[in-house]
Amino acid sequence: MAAVARAAQPPLWTRSFVAGTFLNFFIAGNYFMLMVVMTAYALNVYQAPPAAAAFCASAFIVGTLVSRFLCAPLMEKFGRVPVLVVACVCEVVFSVLYLVHEPLLALIGGRLLHGFAYGTASTTVATVMTSLIPSQRKGEGIGYFMLSVTLGSAIGPFVGIFLSNNFGYDWVFVVASVLVALAVPASLLLKPAKGSAVKGRPAKARAEEAAAADAASGARTGAPAEERREEAMATQLEAAADDPCGAGAAATKPAAMSVPVPEDGSDTARVPSTHLEEKVTEKLEHSPLSRFVEAGVLPIALVCGLLFFGYSSLLTFLTPYADQIGLSRAASVFFVAYALAMFVTRPFTGRAFDRVGPHPVMVPAFVAFVVGMALVAEASNDFILLGAAMLLGFGVGTVQSCGLAMAVRVTSDARLSVGNATFYMLLDVGVGIGPILLGLVVPLIGYSALYLAMAAVGALALVLFMIVARTEKGTRTA
């Protein structure tokens, strides 16, 4: 029977899925390769002040954040794949322009535009891929897809630092340009899911309005058909219990059984979602922000963004902290161990998410983040620091991929571009403001106390997750 069940599952490793996963690796590798050398490049080549040199790196994040707001309308107007192809071509152009060694202000402007292109490409490919992945395999498929970012975050920094130290910055720009150029043919191999490529037509506008109305009623996609049937039956039984004489049974039954359940078990039907999502959606239903922000995604995106705020402390301060405590050797391979843990655990956590839901998978991930940050704060040898890296890799990787799976499950296909943009926008905010705020705190409390504080941030994120992830089932019967 197990073999029959596996055979009945829809395919995951299609040509488009493979092409999109490789494309995401190419653009992520380019991003990380350039990010780790950009501050040093501005300091050494331009003799820029430290603040200006740091902004050469962070300007990229600013451009990325702007793209999250504008990407969804672009996809609606021109279509997902055309926007993706143009964004990948722009990434190649801006990567090559670093070889021109333009003036510092032009470099910062180029970083802003490059960040916009990267944000557009990453959001669009995530939108295409999440629409392609079968609803029964969302967690597994997104887990595999996000491994591309894991590999990019491990290989990109290593190659960037190695090339800049041994061959110079021009070689970094050449290799980064070649890598992201491979994304262009990969984008041409993508074929969007049926019904998701409509653009610039009245039918699209009507679909958007219908999807927004569904979202406002507190609905979500991706729930298994059996779960929807169980909820409908539970509603019917509850009504019967409240009306033992059966007077209202005839009136209650149609309403209870009106939840649409497709015969094929697809995810086109929508069922009630979390209380928090419903409240947020009602607030934003008629707001101008509804065109750029998917309200149902905001709760889980805020939780993940908070965790990435804590993660930004590793990107910004791990190297000087490791130098201070004499663990520079371990710090040089910290993110390799971090990425290895992500790579090993993500496929398993994705499958577990599909089978048992978010709580059993994500709660241990939040705990791993808290313990990992505490170990970084108290690290006294290489083994402790690398052990912390593996715990943090499991924690951050699982929360990111499963959080995205939760986000797309509350978003209709017509609003998928907005949902993905909303999710990544909150991650960008967390990573973007982290260095600024934490940079003000470090001189006051020191690195060790900072990482203990980030452990507390992880604990707060866990508490908020428990609030956000309270499903409709089992909460409205009270």
Side-chain angles (χ1 to χ4, degrees):
M1 293 295 293
V4 174
R6 284 193 299 269
Q9 282 190 324
L12 178 63
W13 293 97
T14 61
R15 183 190 72 176
S16 291
F17 183 84
V18 174
T21 302
F22 272 101
L23 186 156
N24 209 40
F25 165 71
F26 297 145
I27 63 176
N30 173 276
Y31 159 59
F32 284 105
M33 193 182 305
L34 295 174
M35 183 64 74
V36 296
V37 304
M38 195 53 59
T39 300
Y41 171 67
L43 286 170
N44 297 330
V45 175
Y46 289 88
Q47 302 299 310
F55 190 66
C56 287
S58 59
F60 189 97
I61 302 297
V62 175
T64 301
L65 183 58
V66 172
S67 75
R68 305 301 189 193
F69 286 97
L70 301 180
C71 189
L74 288 174
M75 282 188 272
E76 293 168 14
K77 183 175 180 61
F78 300 107
R80 296 173 183 175
V81 172
V83 168
L84 178 59
V85 173
V86 172
C88 290
V89 171
C90 289
E91 280 226 67
V92 178
V93 172
F94 293 126
S95 297
V96 171
L97 284 178
Y98 294 121
L99 292 166
V100 178
H101 301 293
E102 62 268 24
L104 183 62
L105 287 178
L107 174 65
I108 293 174
R111 291 291 290 167
L112 284 166
L113 293 174
H114 192 180
F116 185 91
Y118 169 76
T120 303
S122 60
T123 304
T124 307
V125 71
T127 302
V128 173
M129 295 293 283
T130 50
S131 68
L132 285 171
I133 297 171
S135 60
Q136 302 93 322
R137 306 182 72 177
K138 283 290 187 202
E140 179 187 4
I142 290 176
Y144 282 123
F145 170 66
M146 295 304 291
L147 283 177
S148 56
V149 179
T150 302
L151 289 175
S153 67
I155 295 173
F158 176 78
V159 173
I161 293 172
F162 176 80
L163 291 175
S164 62
N165 289 342
N166 294 279
F167 300 98
Y169 294 107
D170 282 355
W171 275 100
V172 178
F173 302 143
V174 169
V175 173
S177 300
V178 171
L179 182 64
V180 80
L182 296 174
V184 177
S187 67
L188 297 174
L189 293 174
L190 276 177
K191 183 179 180 182
K194 291 182 179 179
S196 65
V198 180
K199 60 182 187 301
R201 299 172 185 168
K204 180 66 177 180
R206 288 194 297 270
E208 290 286 343
E209 292 172 2
D214 285 345
S217 66
R220 65 180 172 89
T221 60
E226 187 60 33
E227 182 178 337
R228 294 195 294 271
R229 294 190 185 96
E230 290 177 3
E231 288 207 25
M233 183 62 70
T235 305
Q236 183 182 5
L237 291 175
E238 181 183 353
D242 292 339
D243 188 11
C245 297
T252 304
K253 183 174 181 179
M257 299 304 291
S258 63
V259 179
V261 181
E263 294 297 326
D264 60 357
S266 64
D267 62 353
T268 55
R270 297 172 66 79
V271 297
S273 186
T274 65
H275 291 302
L276 184 57
E277 177 203 332
E278 184 175 336
K279 291 178 181 178
V280 174
T281 302
E282 289 173 356
K283 293 290 185 182
L284 294 182
E285 178 184 2
H286 303 296
S287 168
L289 287 176
S290 62
R291 180 171 175 80
F292 305 99
V293 176
E294 179 64 15
V297 173
L298 282 175
I300 187 61
L302 284 168
V303 172
C304 295
L306 181 62
L307 200 78
F308 269 68
F309 172 83
Y311 167 69
S312 71
S313 66
L314 297 172
L315 294 175
T316 310
F317 302 112
L318 180 66
T319 298
Y321 173 56
D323 291 340
Q324 184 183 87
I325 61 176
L327 297 180
S328 299
R329 181 178 61 178
S332 66
V333 293
F334 181 93
F335 286 103
V336 175
Y338 171 92
L340 179 63
M342 275 192 186
F343 188 83
V344 171
T345 59
R346 261 186 175 168
F348 300 103
T349 56
R351 293 193 193 100
F353 178 89
D354 290 331
R355 289 197 304 268
V356 299
H359 284 83
V361 179
M362 294 182 71
V363 169
F366 281 105
V367 173
F369 181 89
V370 173
V371 175
M373 282 295 184
L375 287 176
V376 170
E378 301 298 330
S380 58
N381 58 59
D382 292 353
F383 296 106
I384 294 177
L385 192 61
L386 293 180
M390 300 190 77
L391 285 171
L392 289 164
F394 163 65
V396 175
T398 300
V399 169
Q400 182 185 21
S401 61
C402 292
L404 179 58
M406 290 180 67
V408 300
R409 285 181 63 174
V410 301
T411 309
S412 68
D413 184 72
R415 297 277 294 176
L416 200 54
S417 58
V418 184
N420 277 279
T422 302
F423 183 80
Y424 283 109
M425 178 177 63
L426 269 295
L427 298 193
D428 291 339
V429 169
V431 174
I433 68 173
I436 299 171
L437 297 181
L438 299 180
L440 300 175
V441 173
V442 166
L444 302 177
I445 64 174
Y447 293 118
S448 182
L450 172 71
Y451 286 112
L452 285 176
M454 294 305 98
V457 168
L460 174 61
L462 172 58
V463 173
L464 294 178
F465 169 76
M466 298 301 291
I467 297 172
V468 165
R470 289 177 61 207
T471 58
E472 181 73 16
K473 196 178 205 177
T475 59
R476 283 198 174 176
T477 58

